[in-house]
Amino acid sequence: MGNIVDERLAAFIAMRTSFYLASASADGQPYIQHRGGPPGFLQVLDERTLGFADFHGNRQYISTGNFSENSKAFIFLMDYAHRRRIKIWGTVQVIDDDPALTATVLPKGYRARAEQVILFTLTAWDANCPQHIPQMLAAEDVRAALADRDARIAELEAELARYQS
């Protein structure tokens, strides 16, 4: 278990395209929400601080409401392809109307509107064992692998046809 963001954790975070953010209301009612974006949308700002642009979404604001009552939070990061998961405990601060901070955490070239910035102060993190994590691959990775395979098959078939003629 760690209490700062080290190089390995920073590298793991930088590759994620999604994570789960857990919050709880003042009376302890839990809530978990999926957050997604391009790789690196969850950013390491320093050894204890993560940040991300909170994009315009379903307009329920349950997490934001919970954070106004209870700043404790939890981030759950999954890497299904390599069967790895990281748990991060901490507290959240919601930052409204800070254009410089928003520009810092908004992924370059990503077409989404940030409503606010979420800063997550890490108190502890841990990695789970891979047992029982299903291995899943992103559809775009599978498509690319199949295209590479199909191109190689076509190349080999063309080579075979030259030998047969």
Side-chain angles (χ1 to χ4, degrees), residues 140-158:
E140 59 270 10
D141 293 340
V142 172
R143 277 192 292 276
L146 291 175
D148 289 347
R149 180 210 56 197
D150 292 347
R152 180 67 177 142
I153 288 171
E155 178 184 310
L156 291 171
E157 286 175 340

Side-chain angles (χ1 to χ4, degrees), residues 45-110:
L45 301 177
D46 64 42
E47 68 179 12
R48 291 201 183 273
T49 310
L50 307 178
F52 62 94
D54 191 18
F55 303 128
H56 180 75
N58 63 17
R59 303 173 65 107
Q60 291 180 337
Y61 302 104
I62 296 170
S63 297
T64 303
N66 284 348
F67 295 138
S68 72
E69 302 175 350
N70 178 357
S71 67
K72 290 183 180 178
F74 179 83
I75 290 178
F76 193 79
L77 299 152
M78 289 294 298
D79 176 356
Y80 288 105
H82 299 99
R83 300 179 64 225
R84 294 183 294 196
R85 60 185 161 205
I86 301 288
K87 305 174 293 187
I88 306 174
W89 292 266
T91 57
V92 161
Q93 182 181 8
V94 179
I95 308 294
D96 289 314
D97 200 29
D98 186 333
L101 181 59
T102 301
T104 298
V105 299
L106 192 62
K108 306 301 179 242
Y110 189 59

